[in-house]
Amino acid sequence: MTPSTPTPVNHHIRHVRSFHELAHTPFAGGVNALCWERKLNGDFGEVIRLLGPGEGIINLDEAALSALPVSPAGRVAVEIMREDLRLLRELNLAPVLNCIHAYPRDEDPEVVATDVYSFHADSAPVEADTWLCTYHGASSEGVPNRETIRRVDLPETRAELLARYGAADDEDFQDFLADNCFDLHYATLPSSRPYAFGTGNLWRIATQWPGSPVPPCIHRAPPNLPGQPPRLLLIS
């Protein structure tokens, strides 16, 4: 399945026109993803090139980022990222900017892979949202909730997890699923149509927390393909 650009048919997505609207629009009525579409100026690819080779996830220090010997177009990109960091910090959030060559994968995925390449929901013990923006490279992908099923609700998967757990399908088994994050990962249905979050767009998506008025937004990191540049990602 090839991700496509978000369209109005995905009724769980609401498009907004400003940062203020993005920050202050409540999740309600099944809407669990807010998107501020942006066409950003600046050369974000130059920032990636100047950072040089690497592996895994590299956290970008803002001072080091500002010190890069960028061109005027690269400077525009740097200042855009710094402004996004500032806006999120003013909301008392703790955003980070990462250069991502690859995320770690489960060494032993067991029955349910729990790395970020799997469609999943973010979770929190209290009210919280996830914010993210891909400035360069492949973007995150989402899928409508109605086009997914929790992997632990697939009969064959649940049976294998029960066999490994070695006890009954009771409250303790539910705790086992939650403790291992198995209950946060989803399989797509055959008719599903995943979509790309796109580059430059700033998203705020719903997480799974007690009392949330909407289901969490199901999403994943894009697969790492040979020859693709690393991602430049803001996340909070």
Side-chain angles (χ1 to χ4, degrees):
M1 294 172 289
T2 302
S4 57
T5 302
T7 66
V9 334
N10 290 329
H11 299 297
H12 71 289
I13 299 172
R14 177 172 172 178
H15 294 268
V16 299
R17 295 170 292 180
S18 68
F19 181 82
H20 183 272
E21 191 178 357
L22 184 66
H24 297 287
T25 299
F27 291 124
V31 172
N32 62 7
L34 301 171
C35 174
W36 180 22
E37 289 189 278
R38 307 184 297 179
K39 300 296 183 184
L40 301 180
N41 296 319
D43 190 345
F44 294 91
E46 181 186 18
V47 175
I48 289 288
R49 291 190 297 274
L50 289 174
L51 289 171
E55 59 183 22
I57 303 171
I58 301 172
N59 182 256
L60 301 182
D61 174 80
E62 191 173 352
L65 184 67
S66 298
L68 289 174
V70 291
S71 68
R75 179 58 53 193
V76 170
V78 168
E79 293 308 316
I80 286 172
M81 291 186 284
R82 292 187 65 199
E83 175 65 7
D84 284 347
L85 289 168
R86 183 189 68 80
L87 289 170
L88 293 177
R89 287 169 183 153
E90 286 187 349
L91 296 177
N92 293 319
L93 301 175
V96 293
L97 188 62
N98 291 325
C99 179
I100 302 168
H101 296 268
Y103 287 104
R105 286 192 177 272
D106 284 351
E107 293 182 3
D108 179 13
E110 298 190 355
V111 189
V112 178
T114 56
D115 57 46
V116 295
Y117 294 109
S118 165
F119 277 114
H120 64 280
D122 295 337
S123 69
V126 296
E127 182 176 359
D129 308 323
T130 295
W131 296 69
L132 66 166
C133 175
T134 301
Y135 298 106
H136 190 75
S139 73
S140 302
E141 301 172 3
V143 65
N145 298 66
R146 67 181 179 277
E147 297 176 5
T148 68
I149 182 172
R150 288 196 314 169
R151 290 191 178 274
V152 298
D153 293 328
L154 294 168
E156 63 276 16
T157 300
R158 196 174 190 89
E160 188 164 349
L161 286 170
L162 273 167
R164 294 192 177 206
Y165 177 62
D169 191 341
D170 54 17
E171 289 187 8
D172 288 339
F173 178 61
Q174 300 299 323
D175 291 340
F176 164 78
L177 297 179
D179 290 344
N180 290 279
C181 299
F182 294 141
D183 59 340
L184 296 176
H185 288 261
Y186 291 75
T188 55
L189 300 178
S191 60
S192 69
R193 296 179 60 191
Y195 57 88
F197 280 26
T199 54
N201 303 329
L202 184 58
W203 289 76
R204 178 179 145 230
I205 62 175
T207 68
Q208 181 172 295
W209 55 273
S212 174
V214 295
C217 179
I218 309 304
H219 63 291
R220 70 175 179 183
N224 281 71
L225 301 177
Q228 278 193 339
R231 299 176 71 199
L232 197 53
L233 178 72
L234 173 72
I235 189 163
S236 178

